[in-house]
Amino acid sequence: MKSFIARLFGAGARLSALEKIILDCVENHLDARLRQSWNRQIQAINKIQRLPEGVEANFYRMKSGRSSFDEDLAFPNKTTELLVAKVQVELSGMGRLNAKVWCVKGFVFSIEYGGSVSYFEEATGMDPLPEFRLTCELMADLAA
């Protein structure tokens, strides 16, 4: 019963394989001083809200049923809405998916997709795993 209620309210939610691929791609483009904060924020995500049709995934760090904004985790750049990176995911002969990674007030908050995410999510579970080609363009400085 406890796990049902936790799933119902998003507690204990985990990143999908595609979300992890995209967030890892952004991390790999950050300088060393920001990677630690990035990883701590990603590890602290315990609720994920995925909008219908997979157009967006929103990430939360919850404590006592409320969003938590632990300043020890925040990036120096606390812009209200900050487009951090544009990531393009490509599967050979299968098409492309564009993703935008956003921060809100110094916290990794969402991935916004341009196109349907369904096929790409399914591809992450294929055996053998197809080759994903990713390109990442950083759009903002999280340290600013």
Side-chain angles (χ1 to χ4, degrees), residues 16-99:
S16 73
L18 182 62
E19 291 161 352
K20 181 138 180 51
I21 288 169
I22 291 167
L23 294 172
D24 286 351
C25 182
V26 175
E27 176 205 347
N28 291 333
H29 286 78
L30 298 175
D31 62 38
R33 66 179 200 240
L34 291 172
R35 284 185 184 161
Q36 184 178 7
S37 293
W38 182 268
N39 286 322
R40 289 177 59 215
Q41 282 196 28
I42 300 304
Q43 289 170 358
I45 293 169
N46 58 8
K47 180 178 180 180
I48 301 172
Q49 178 185 36
R50 294 179 180 95
L51 300 183
E53 305 296 318
V55 297
E56 188 173 314
N58 297 321
F59 309 120
Y60 300 91
R61 291 144 208 89
M62 305 291 289
K63 286 187 183 171
S64 303
R66 301 182 145 233
S67 293
S68 171
F69 300 97
D70 182 350
E71 282 301 311
D72 291 336
L73 295 177
F75 294 114
N77 189 338
K78 293 180 176 58
T79 301
T80 302
E81 289 186 14
L82 183 67
L83 176 58
V84 176
K86 292 181 181 180
V87 177
Q88 187 175 80
V89 182
E90 193 171 349
L91 282 170
S92 184
M94 306 291 181
R96 290 184 207 135
L97 176 67
N98 294 312

Side-chain angles (χ1 to χ4, degrees), residues 131-144:
E131 180 185 343
F132 286 86
R133 284 189 303 278
L134 291 105
T135 55
C136 178
E137 179 183 4
L138 292 180
M139 305 302 292
D141 182 2
L142 294 171

